[in-house]
Amino acid sequence: GQQVQQSPASLVLQEGENAELQCNFSSTATQLQWFYQSPGGSLVSLLSNPSGTKHTGRLTSTTVTKERRSSLHISSSQTTDSGTYLCAAYQGGRALIFGTGTTVSVSP
Amino acid sequence: GPKVLQIPSHQIIDMGQMVTLNCDPVSNHLYFYWYKQILGQQMEFLVNFYNGKVMEKSKLFKDQFSVERPDGSYFTLKIQPTALEDSAVYFCASSWDWGGYEQYFGPGTRLTVL
């Protein structure tokens, strides 16, 4: 079945720095979503990006489907960006399989 | 954007009791999902549901679990009886279709089984 791996496991940034988060998945995915999970546990969908490049605010996701990888670029990080970023890919089109996440900590 | 609501946000119950978690999906969505996240651990798929039927379930979806959506009302996850290991945050999601369609997630219900 689908496996999703994320790297790095954690990242420490100074405010204003950029960050690149990686997601690799084992099987061709028809859907790839990036989520932000706050330290309190709430989940926010950031981007749905099964292929190509998408932008929203300071976030850019690039997914190369045939290489089974996706990246999330955070530009000009802010302290409010601290939390865990989750990547999830479809398995067989019916369930999202989540990675273990990248924990980002942004200090002022 | 479209919103999925979950009621309640927190639930504390004694082991062995029954609990029902409620989800109000996006209004025109047809596919519904439950995911489970134990504190500090990975989010895991439980079950998906379409046209009144469970389409797929994981090994985490024990016999004590059931789902339904009677007459277009809440999509529910019922656990009867509950066990200590059921303590987790349960997230509901919905989508317009399978495959390449985005899933919209609710804020989660934190279930504590004592």
Side-chain angles (χ1 to χ4, degrees):
Chain A
Q2 180 72 276
Q3 292 183 24
V4 178
Q5 294 181 322
Q6 293 186 244
S7 61
S10 61
L11 200 51
V12 177
L13 301 169
Q14 286 287 121
E15 199 167 28
E17 288 183 330
N18 299 332
E20 186 97 355
L21 283 55
Q22 301 293 337
C23 174
N24 292 280
F25 40 97
S26 59
S27 306
T28 301
T30 54
Q31 179 56 281
L32 190 293
Q33 290 184 234
W34 283 95
F35 297 86
Y36 166 78
Q37 190 161 39
S38 71
S42 63
L43 196 67
V44 175
S45 181
L46 297 174
L47 284 163
S48 170
N49 187 25
S51 67
T53 299
K54 283 196 174 178
H55 306 272
T56 182
R58 294 179 291 105
L59 303 176
T60 301
S61 171
T62 300
T63 299
V64 183
T65 310
K66 58 184 175 182
E67 294 181 13
R68 301 190 202 128
R69 60 179 175 85
S70 181
S71 64
L72 182 70
H73 185 262
I74 306 172
S75 63
S76 304
S77 61
Q78 301 175 0
T79 56
T80 51
D81 295 332
S82 297
T84 300
Y85 291 79
L86 302 174
C87 170
Y90 262 120
Q91 171 181 288
R94 292 183 173 182
L96 279 175
I97 305 302
F98 283 78
T100 51
T102 294
T103 301
V104 173
S105 178
V106 184
S107 55
Chain B
K3 294 249 186 243
V4 175
L5 304 177
Q6 290 188 242
I7 302 161
S9 56
H10 293 85
Q11 180 88 52
I12 301 173
I13 59 169
D14 291 323
M15 183 176 61
Q17 287 189 318
M18 181 196 76
V19 68
T20 300
L21 309 183
N22 299 292
C23 171
D24 188 8
V26 177
S27 62
N28 60 346
H29 283 184
L30 302 176
Y31 298 80
F32 313 111
Y33 314 79
W34 283 103
Y35 293 82
K36 175 183 179 181
Q37 187 178 36
I38 294 173
L39 188 63
Q41 297 187 21
Q42 199 165 349
M43 180 89 73
E44 294 189 273
F45 167 75
L46 277 178
V47 66
N48 51 31
F49 188 84
Y50 167 71
N51 197 27
K53 297 175 190 169
V54 170
M55 303 302 291
E56 187 179 16
K57 58 186 180 181
S58 74
K59 63 182 187 305
L60 297 179
F61 193 77
K62 304 179 297 184
D63 291 343
Q64 296 90 328
F65 288 28
S66 62
V67 290
E68 64 176 356
R69 193 187 187 210
D71 298 326
S73 60
Y74 288 145
F75 174 52
T76 63
L77 173 66
K78 185 185 290 186
I79 310 174
Q80 181 178 26
T82 50
L84 295 176
E85 60 264 28
D86 297 330
S87 293
V89 180
Y90 291 84
F91 290 91
C92 170
S94 69
S95 66
W96 169 242
D97 202 340
W98 298 122
Y101 288 83
E102 183 175 356
Q103 290 185 21
Y104 293 83
F105 279 72
T109 293
R110 186 177 298 274
L111 176 66
T112 302
V113 181
L114 302 176

